[in-house]
Amino acid sequence: MATNRTLQRAKAGRNDEFYTQLSDIENELKHYRPHFKGKTVLCNCDDPRVSNFFKYFALNFEMLGLKRLIATCYKNNEPDIFSQNTAQQAVYIIYDGDPNGNRVPNPAEMEVLPLQGDGDFRSEECIALLKQADIVCTNPPFSLFREYIGQLILYDKKFIILGNPAAMHYTDVFPLIKDNKLWLGFKSMSSDMLFGVSEEYERMLRSSKKEGSGWRIVDGKFMGRAPAIWYTNLDIPKRHEDLILYKRYTPEEYPKYDNYDAINVDNVADIPCDYDGNMGVPDSFLDRYNPEQFEIIGLGCGDLAKIIGVQRNYRGRTDVAYTVNGVSKCPYSRIIIKRKI
């Protein structure tokens, strides 16, 4: 698996062009179709002439019933999928549909307009475009995810965006999950994604990662592999499906934490159906989280664990830990939940 450190290193070096496959976009966005009717969609981290996000919405403009599609790019005014992002002036494109009715978007139907600056999503002119949008959909830079999601929340925007799974632990992201202002999309956390990458980043991956873990060859094309999940605040049916519970609580199978009043549950499928107290479950719980069935109490690891009263464990860290047969153990990160009765 390509690690978060690998991704951050790529971002820092501006070799951070991870191009989302059209098939991955289609597989996710088909679950949100009712939300798009009559809406303006913004893809504000995409070169609109090569972005698969822009391509998806342009090709499906009439089927989705969109009002308008806007896309901007960062430091690019050349239609090159692996631009080096050296242009100091960028462009944005507006697409209002297919006037000739052939359902094939073409350049003549798109309004290409210059930006005054480099297209950074934080710039005033890009924020002005953001204010026009109803829904934002893109793959933002992972290294700027905190700022990016913070901006969407500030301007009260609906969104479907890609991010690293580690972002759910950020001190300014997890509280949004806890308060049901942000949740995971349809795609499962258990599967990584394949992305198009630049030639420079391909060379780095070939030299530092094994085939099958950090990269793959698909139909003769080099693809970078990375952990990625969809984050959204648009409702989907998956969010209201009850998790079927069948296990019964026993103290032997579910040890209590030494430094917090909750039991440990190693697998989401093993959440007991008859335990009414707090439980520590794996991050993958968010794939099955139904806010009508469970309440999220907090995070049982790191700085956020202090907020709910987790004490330092035998390793001197603020992570939940338990003792079995005299041996202290600290599991992987845990989300503290409680079953709604």
Side-chain angles (χ1 to χ4, degrees), residues 291-322:
E292 296 144 15
Q293 186 181 18
F294 294 99
E295 175 187 2
I296 294 178
I297 305 301
L299 198 62
C301 60
D303 290 339
L304 287 173
K306 300 174 185 177
I307 296 174
I308 60 173
V310 176
Q311 302 298 310
R312 291 186 181 274
N313 59 32
Y314 69 100
R315 299 192 302 183
R317 295 173 55 177
T318 312
D319 299 302
V320 287
Y322 56 87

Side-chain angles (χ1 to χ4, degrees), residues 35 44 135 209 252 254 286 321 340:
H35 291 288
N44 61 346
I135 301 173
K209 300 292 179 181
E252 295 75 24
Y254 301 96
L286 293 180
K340 289 187 175 179

Side-chain angles (χ1 to χ4, degrees), residues 131-193:
K131 290 178 179 179
Q132 298 177 32
D134 299 298
I135 301 173
V136 179
C137 188
T138 190
N139 179 4
F142 285 8
S143 60
L144 297 176
F145 192 83
R146 287 183 174 89
E147 290 181 77
Y148 189 83
I149 200 74
Q151 185 184 85
L152 295 179
I153 297 299
L154 176 64
Y155 290 99
D156 194 25
K157 294 301 173 181
K158 298 297 184 181
F159 55 85
I160 316 160
I161 59 174
L162 276 169
N164 194 295
M168 70 176 66
H169 290 174
Y170 294 167
T171 55
D172 40 7
V173 173
F174 186 82
L176 298 174
I177 296 174
K178 177 181 177 297
D179 294 339
N180 290 308
K181 296 178 180 179
L182 164 69
W183 46 87
L184 270 57
F186 187 84
K187 173 192 166 294
S188 171
M189 289 178 61
S190 63
S191 59
D192 288 350
M193 291 177 63

